[in-house]
Amino acid sequence: MPLGARAVLALAAVWVISPIDLVPEFLPVVGALDDVVVAAVALRYAVRRVPREAVVDAWPGSPAMLGRLLGDDTDDTTESHGAGAGAGVG
């Protein structure tokens, strides 16, 4: 994993476990929202920096879900074609 991706993940982990937040945790729903957003952005950044083959090999879920998480349109089209929606694309 690249050093920049590791650093972003480390900073995100510190942010999530830190008792100091931009939005106080005692506010319903909104209190945890800043932690969720920081974690999601950091994970997406890190996954996009790691070689694609390593991510695909380590991903335990479906390839279509990984494509959605990474923002790829290619997995969405293969999923729809796999259901018989189109032909001749490949």
Side-chain angles (χ1 to χ4, degrees), residues 44-90:
R44 186 169 179 157
Y45 174 84
V47 167
R48 288 180 172 212
R49 297 306 178 267
V50 173
R52 182 139 186 103
E53 297 80 28
V55 175
V56 171
D57 289 343
W59 181 253
S62 71
M65 180 59 72
L66 179 61
R68 284 188 214 120
L69 291 172
L70 295 176
D72 294 344
D73 293 331
T74 57
D75 288 329
D76 291 337
T77 58
T78 58
E79 183 180 75
S80 64
H81 291 298
V89 176

Side-chain angles (χ1 to χ4, degrees), residues 3-57:
L3 183 60
R6 289 178 192 229
V8 166
L9 289 176
L11 289 172
V14 169
W15 177 279
V16 170
I17 62 174
S18 172
I20 301 170
D21 284 329
L22 287 178
V23 181
E25 295 294 329
F26 64 82
L27 295 174
V29 180
V30 180
L33 190 60
D34 65 333
D35 292 339
V36 171
V37 170
V38 167
V41 170
L43 286 172
R44 186 169 179 157
Y45 174 84
V47 167
R48 288 180 172 212
R49 297 306 178 267
V50 173
R52 182 139 186 103
E53 297 80 28
V55 175
V56 171
D57 289 343

